[in-house]
């Protein structure tokens, strides 16, 4: 199970941090997805901290023990979306999403 | 263009069946694990099932095991989800997604990496209602 806060709110230009906690995280990679209203999810961070091409550098990821964190530096209004963490179970065969965090930038 | 396009969604009665398809293009489909993910109206994402490149491994969420079957046809670059004994709680947008794949220049081999997904289709809506 992965746990995320339902919502996070920041002002434009501030840093947004979205945590994801789970006992499996010290053993498994975490992935982060951004989903804007009415659209399919988009990968923003893979394998804990790596950036896919085309994703702004203000998106970064980190892990510490059982908590992974997605950090959005200098948040912009266009970053408003739902964000989901994603990881596998201890065997790596079954996967689970966090409940999602709604980021508000205003 | 690299893309995934789902089809086959629609309205079905409880207890009925439906087969979803996902057409892949712009990349080497047979090299990738593939995954189905769903999202109920107003809810979060839920992993449904995934399948290895050669179909030798398939895994399912507890909520669908025994009712849904994932399969693929690498010759047709297509992924499928056969759904039976459908329930109202299966109502959702169903997405297909591509597993990550990386090139290791030292070994000269492709490898899966951590196993997440990096490309999503636009989804197809399945509604289960009488």
């Amino acid at each position: 199970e992965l746990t995320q806060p339902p919502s996070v709110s920041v002002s434009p230009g501030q840093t947004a941090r979205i945590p994801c906690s789970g006992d499996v995280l010290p053993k498994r990679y975490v992935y982060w997805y951004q989903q804007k209203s009415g659209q399919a999810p988009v990968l923003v961070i893979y394998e804990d901290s790596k950036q896919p091409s085309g994703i702004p550098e203000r998106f970064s990821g980190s892990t510490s023990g059982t908590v992974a964190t997605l950090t959005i530096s200098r948040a912009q209004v266009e970053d408003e979306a739902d964000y989901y963490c994603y990881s596998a179970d201890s065997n790596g065969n079954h996967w689970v999403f966090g409940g999602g965090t709604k980021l508000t930038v205003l | 263009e690299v893309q995934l396009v789902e089809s086959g969604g629609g309205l079905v009665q409880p207890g009925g069946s439906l087969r979803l398809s996902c057409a892949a293009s712009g990349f080497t489909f047979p090299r990738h694990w593939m995954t189905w993910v769903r999202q109920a109206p107003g809810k979060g994402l839920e992993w449904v099932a995934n399948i290895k490149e050669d179909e030798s491994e398939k895994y399912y969420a507890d909520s669908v095991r025994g009712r849904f079957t994932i399969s693929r046809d690498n010759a047709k670059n297509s992924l499928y989800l056969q759904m039976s004994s459908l329930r109202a709680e299966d109502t959702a947008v169903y997405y297909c997604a591509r597993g990550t794949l990386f090139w290791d220049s030292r070994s000269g081999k492709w490898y899966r990496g951590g196993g997440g997904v990096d490309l999503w289709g636009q989804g197809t809506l399945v509604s289960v209602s009488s």
Side-chain angles (χ1 to χ4, degrees):
Chain A
E1 183 179 349
L2 300 177
T3 302
Q4 298 179 237
S7 63
V8 167
S9 183
V10 297
S11 299
Q14 288 188 327
T15 297
R17 294 180 178 85
I18 300 174
C20 169
S21 64
D23 291 340
V24 74
L25 295 184
K27 300 182 287 286
R28 290 292 168 191
Y29 283 124
V30 69
Y31 297 75
W32 289 95
Y33 299 93
Q34 175 195 68
Q35 186 180 35
K36 296 184 177 179
S37 181
Q39 299 182 20
V42 172
L43 177 68
V44 293
I45 293 290
Y46 68 100
E47 295 181 357
D48 295 345
S49 59
K50 299 175 182 176
Q51 280 185 329
S53 60
I55 299 301
E57 290 187 1
R58 63 178 182 276
F59 288 84
S60 63
S62 62
T63 62
S64 179
T66 60
V67 180
T69 302
L70 174 68
T71 300
I72 307 171
S73 304
R74 303 176 302 281
Q76 301 180 9
V77 174
E78 67 199 54
D79 298 331
E80 281 202 343
D82 293 323
Y83 290 86
Y84 295 90
C85 57
Y86 180 58
S87 190
D89 66 3
S90 56
N91 293 324
N93 294 329
H94 295 85
W95 290 74
V96 64
F97 287 93
T101 298
K102 182 176 183 59
L103 175 65
T104 302
V105 183
L106 54 76
Chain B
E1 182 184 2
V2 176
Q3 63 178 356
L4 298 167
V5 179
E6 301 93 337
S7 60
L11 177 63
V12 61
Q13 291 188 337
S17 298
L18 207 58
R19 188 195 196 207
L20 305 183
S21 299
C22 170
S25 59
F27 65 95
T28 308
F29 178 79
R31 288 196 180 129
H32 293 262
W33 279 72
M34 296 297 295
T35 294
W36 286 101
V37 175
R38 68 184 181 183
Q39 186 170 35
K43 302 297 184 182
L45 301 171
E46 179 187 13
W47 174 78
V48 173
N50 60 6
I51 184 170
K52 195 176 180 180
E53 305 95 319
D54 60 2
E55 293 195 276
S56 61
E57 296 180 41
K58 303 177 184 182
Y59 302 98
Y60 299 91
D62 290 344
S63 58
V64 306
R65 186 177 297 112
R67 300 187 300 123
F68 290 11
T69 301
I70 189 172
S71 63
R72 63 193 295 164
D73 185 336
N74 286 340
K76 295 182 177 180
N77 289 337
S78 294
L79 176 72
Y80 306 102
L81 186 67
Q82 178 67 49
M83 305 184 294
S84 61
S85 302
L86 283 162
R87 308 165 180 167
E89 54 264 36
D90 295 318
T91 294
V93 173
Y94 285 73
Y95 295 99
C96 70
R98 181 183 74 177
T100 58
L101 191 68
F102 305 98
W103 174 251
D104 183 345
S105 57
R106 291 176 298 174
S107 66
K109 294 182 179 180
W110 295 98
Y111 67 101
R112 185 185 179 198
V117 297
D118 64 357
L119 177 71
W120 299 66
Q122 85 292 347
T124 187
L125 177 62
V126 173
S127 296
V128 184
S129 174
S130 54

